[in-house]
């Protein structure tokens, strides 16, 4: 078994060693650029942890782990165009630094590169691994589309929101783990349980994101606290507040959502005040906890020695306790 | 053996029967729309013809053939955004009918759908088929990038142009045929020869496109004759003319290329006049013929009964004799 730190070192080293062709440079420089911006590398680490959990050969899981990280960054490159995002990890996005055409085409070739790395698994599991990868990729796209649809919709329910984040964020954690499990020769039942662990952890992870955006420590958060409130992002917190707010709070919240000219600090404070009165933080934390618990139950039911699970357990706890 | 007509009927039927999920509709309707606009379905037909050539089971080749057609249409969907094209097959492009975000994301999911169909080959050839598909996909992206680079470059050589069209257009014909060959249990040598046939046929096909754009019969061409001249597209004809033109012709050609305000008919006639004086049509036809001959030589060298080759031979002749 490897420690989280060892696995992350393996990933960082492997990411740094990815070789990109020199030409055409407009196609490959943006990929190298985006990949160099860092990030937590959670998803590839999950592939390795899953292989390790079942006593598989971690070396064998490196290419598929890189495939998952490339796929994730491909979705970021394309999502950033669609969301018109100027920054990614504090640096100019690819469509800002180059242009939208470059970001579209570099993203496409990045996706192929992901497949090229993914097919380096053992022939006997290739078909199974690709089934998981394809299903995950489709769902991530569906999640992004539903998220964009939410932006122009009036009413979004909590159930719809949870389904959206399941698709957009959580299935990739589940998929990464399941692919690692297949490499580690897990049986179908254990692989599915690990998928459930990842899926629920992913939902909890996104809920944590929503909470941190409002209640994070500005010193540690790394982004502007209240960013979601400022741009009316339909997060778990806002949807729940819209569901629960009555009378004056409901009116005030509606007013802030319609405001186009405002002082951002004032808006964040006002909306946060409503959240506080409605106990939104606690409700969101309970929802997060529920999914974390489901994740841990799935992990517990996996049929391997309990001591092997300690790394994934520690990883889940680290994710839930994070401050950025 | 099947006739071309039979194979095309199989393809048309299979394309019509592709099942797209209902939701999110912004993701799947554009795919169904683009696929419904028709087109020659050359590439999927090539997959079936290649399988048939080696006595393979054509039924087995249908899913990979659809994968090739979906991949081709995915590249069209994304290229049309980059090229800012308003029309595709005479109908609004996806980014025009919906918007660029929809065209990006629908294209992405279309690409995954292509992989989903491609992995339905026999397990023992899966890895080989995906290697061809991935390599082809990367090269098509590279070709598109190089084509975009040409738009803003002053000098492009004939050799560079041929390499660009090889990547952007020809390798997909080669790839489609090679995948069909693998399904038909061709040996490596025959599969490579068939790839060369497709690659050279693809280059000849694109040169034919360049020629038709200027010398096509307006009644049969289906598009505006001279479209490439109007927008200064660096085709084989223009690059060759720039290489050969001297004195007054060179000056006149340069002037037309720099003109921003002009009568389109006048420009087309003037540039065509220069092409005629320089014998450009004949030179281009010779280049096309050269690649067609290389293609037919490769086909001839394939180790199967000559009568089995008649369909691919007929197909190549049909492509070279086409008027649109």
């Amino acid at each position: 078994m490897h420690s989280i730190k060892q696995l992350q070192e393996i990933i960082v080293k492997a990411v740094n060693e990815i070789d990109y062709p020199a030409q055409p440079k407009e196609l490959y420089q943006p990929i190298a650029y985006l990949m160099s911006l860092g990030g937590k590398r959670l998803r590839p680490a999950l592939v390795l942890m899953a292989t390790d959990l079942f006593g598989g050969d971690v070396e064998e899981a490196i290419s598929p782990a890189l495939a998952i990280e490339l796929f994730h960054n491909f979705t970021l490159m394309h999502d950033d165009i669609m969301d018109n995002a100027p920054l990614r990890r504090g640096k100019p996005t690819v469509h800002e630094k180059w242009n939208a055409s470059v970001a579209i085409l570099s993203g496409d070739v990045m996706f192929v590169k992901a497949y090229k790395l993914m097919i380096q698994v053992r022939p006997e599991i290739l078909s199974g691994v690709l089934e998981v990868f394809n299903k995950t990729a489709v769902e991530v796209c569906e999640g992004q589309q539903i998220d964009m649809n939410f932006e122009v919709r009036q009413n979004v329910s909590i159930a719809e929101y949870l389904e959206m984040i399941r698709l957009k964020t959580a299935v990739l954690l589940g998929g990464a783990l399941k692919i690692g499990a297949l490499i580690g020769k897990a049986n179908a039942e254990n692989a599915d349980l690990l998928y459930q662990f990842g899926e629920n952890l992913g939902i909890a992870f996104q809920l944590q994101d929503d909470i941190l955006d409002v209640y994070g420590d500005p010193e540690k958060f790394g982004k502007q606290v209240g960013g979601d409130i400022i741009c009316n992002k339909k997060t778990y917190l806002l949807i729940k507040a819209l569901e629960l707010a009555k009378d004056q709070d409901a009116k005030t919240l509606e007013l802030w959502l319609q405001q186009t000219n405002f002082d951002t600090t004032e808006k964040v404070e006002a909306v946060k005040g409503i959240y506080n009165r409605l106990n939104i933080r606690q409700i969101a934390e309970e929802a997060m906890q529920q999914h974390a618990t489901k994740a841990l139950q799935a992990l517990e039911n996996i049929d391997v020695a309990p001591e092997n699970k300690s790394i994934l357990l520690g990883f889940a706890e680290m994710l839930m306790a994070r401050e950025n």
Side-chain angles (χ1 to χ4, degrees), chain A residues 162 200 204 284-297:
Chain A
L162 290 174
N200 280 292
E285 278 173 351
E286 276 165 14
M288 180 188 91
Q289 204 47 60
Q290 245 175 37
H291 286 280
T293 304
K294 268 195 205 173
L296 297 179
Q297 269 164 359

Side-chain angles (χ1 to χ4, degrees), chain A residues 55-74:
Chain A
D57 178 3
V58 164
E59 282 292 314
E60 211 187 311
I62 294 176
S63 287
L66 289 177
I68 290 287
E69 185 65 6
L70 274 164
F71 170 77
H72 174 57
N73 280 271
F74 142 71

Side-chain angles (χ1 to χ4, degrees), chain A residues 251-268:
Chain A
K251 276 184 209 153
T252 312
L253 190 52
E254 240 355 289
L255 269 177
W256 276 114
L257 292 176
Q258 280 152 21
Q259 213 65 259
T260 52
N261 198 345
F262 53 83
D263 178 82
T264 55
T265 315
E266 199 186 333
K267 179 173 177 179
V268 172

